[in-house]
Amino acid sequence: MNFSSKLLEDAVAEFAKLPGVGQKTALRLVLHLLNRDKEEVQKFSNAVSKLRNEIQFCQSCHNISDLKVCEICASHKRDHSLICVVEDTRDVMAIENTNQYNGVYHVLGGLISPMDGIGPGDLQVDTLVERLKENGVKEVIFALSATMEGDTTIFYLHKRLKQFAINISTIARGIAFGGELEYVDEITLGRSIVTRVPYENSLS
Amino acid sequence: MNFSSKLLEDAVAEFAKLPGVGQKTALRLVLHLLNRDKEEVQKFSNAVSKLRNEIQFCQSCHNISDLKVCEICASHKRDHSLICVVEDTRDVMAIENTNQYNGVYHVLGGLISPMDGIGPGDLQVDTLVERLKENGVKEVIFALSATMEGDTTIFYLHKRLKQFAINISTIARGIAFGGELEYVDEITLGRSIVTRVPYENSLS
């Protein structure tokens, strides 16, 4: 693209670096910003800059937080003997939205993915092991994506964690609520038959 | 959504104000920025802020420019007796990419749209009339979108410009190159029959 202005070109180039944003979308977003008030655009720019420079991560669970210890880890109402291991802060938000979980979290910050050059050393694995060395943790729940990377990460973590006398579980896999049987893939359907649960348990 | 950090929430809220970006996409973009180096994110933030604060518009055609008069308007190789009226800078870029136009431009900065509260006063109409008062302009080409707003704008501009002894034209409408006839809508197809051109002309 031939830009009539270097400033415009720079801004478009920066937006085009975002995931899922191409040159055309970037130009549309930048022209939108140009039509907004200067103060609003400055607010946008400041929010981005402030986020990256001032963001903190909870010392305990490594979730994004404005405090040294996040609200969940600091809460006395949560069950600190139960740790749910997740990939990133989005998963924490998703699980919190269900209102079904009262334990604490451990945010890995990614999944093991040799293809992308991400190994265990890039994730918060050692800090998880340290947390388990302290007394009191009874169960670790893996709530990771049902993908190759998620399965690899669970496999690795399971090997690291089996030295501890704790329960290790993963979230249930099966057909989703509202899912029509004929559209469910074979692997999920097959596994859901093998891992069937007593009818009484499925009601709770 | 329940955010674990105010900084995160603010940044997501700012991104979600962009057109076509919802809360989930905004969160994905923000988490992507968090994984990037501080310097890179600062560059992103600076590019946005600098764009809005330092951007200039060409005094003549009102296209985005880093100079007081843009390269196209300042060029002696362009035909200054031919003015192409467009909506915004994207249209200038699109027409420049065709390499078929050697005149100059006039960027309106929008289209007349009563539904959105945009009237002729919000556009660069008076400055277009001023440009035509100077001698030398022989033709004005309307290259506006083939929408209700585009047609309304052409109708209004035509009324304002017919006082001048100049040719007024619009870009041709019809079926696109590579377009299969059976998929062309009826209005376009019907108009393309009415406004048919001699075969010899269609070859040039």
Side-chain angles (χ1 to χ4, degrees), chain B residues 47-152:
Chain B
V48 169
S49 161
K50 216 173 156 187
L51 171 83
R52 187 62 189 86
N53 289 316
E54 297 179 17
I55 201 84
Q56 293 192 61
F57 296 90
C58 170
Q59 287 179 336
S60 177
C61 73
H62 305 283
N63 191 13
I64 294 168
S65 168
D66 291 339
L67 306 161
K68 286 199 171 182
V69 175
C70 76
E71 278 181 34
I72 293 172
C73 287
S75 168
H76 295 293
K77 290 179 182 165
R78 312 286 300 213
D79 182 355
H80 289 258
S81 71
L82 194 58
I83 296 180
C84 182
V85 176
V86 295
E87 181 182 347
D88 65 23
T89 191
R90 273 177 292 188
D91 303 326
V92 174
M93 288 164 66
I95 294 172
E96 284 299 290
N97 273 339
T98 67
N99 288 321
Q100 293 288 322
Y101 181 68
N102 195 38
V104 293
Y105 294 92
H106 190 87
V107 179
L108 293 174
L111 295 174
I112 295 174
S113 174
M115 293 282 281
D116 302 313
I118 302 171
D122 301 313
L123 309 178
Q124 296 290 350
V125 173
D126 292 340
T127 49
L128 174 62
V129 174
E130 287 303 314
R131 280 179 85 178
L132 297 181
K133 279 181 185 162
E134 296 160 25
N135 286 324
V137 177
K138 288 178 188 150
E139 183 174 355
V140 168
I141 306 170
F142 293 125
L144 302 180
S145 295
T147 57
M148 179 82 90
E149 289 78 19
D151 287 346
T152 308

Side-chain angles (χ1 to χ4, degrees), chain A residues 4-6 36 52 64 66, chain B residues 4-6 52 64 66:
Chain A
S4 57
S5 150
K6 185 84 179 64
R36 292 241 299 264
R52 187 62 189 83
I64 294 168
D66 292 339
Chain B
S4 56
S5 151
K6 184 84 180 62
R52 187 62 189 86
I64 294 168
D66 291 339

Side-chain angles (χ1 to χ4, degrees), chain B residues 85 108 111-112 141-161 168-171 173:
Chain B
V85 176
L108 293 174
L111 295 174
I112 295 174
I141 306 170
F142 293 125
L144 302 180
S145 295
T147 57
M148 179 82 90
E149 289 78 19
D151 287 346
T152 308
T153 308
I154 292 178
F155 184 77
Y156 174 83
L157 288 176
H158 182 253
K159 277 210 320 198
R160 289 283 301 267
L161 302 187
I168 297 178
S169 57
T170 69
I171 54 171
R173 293 183 185 175

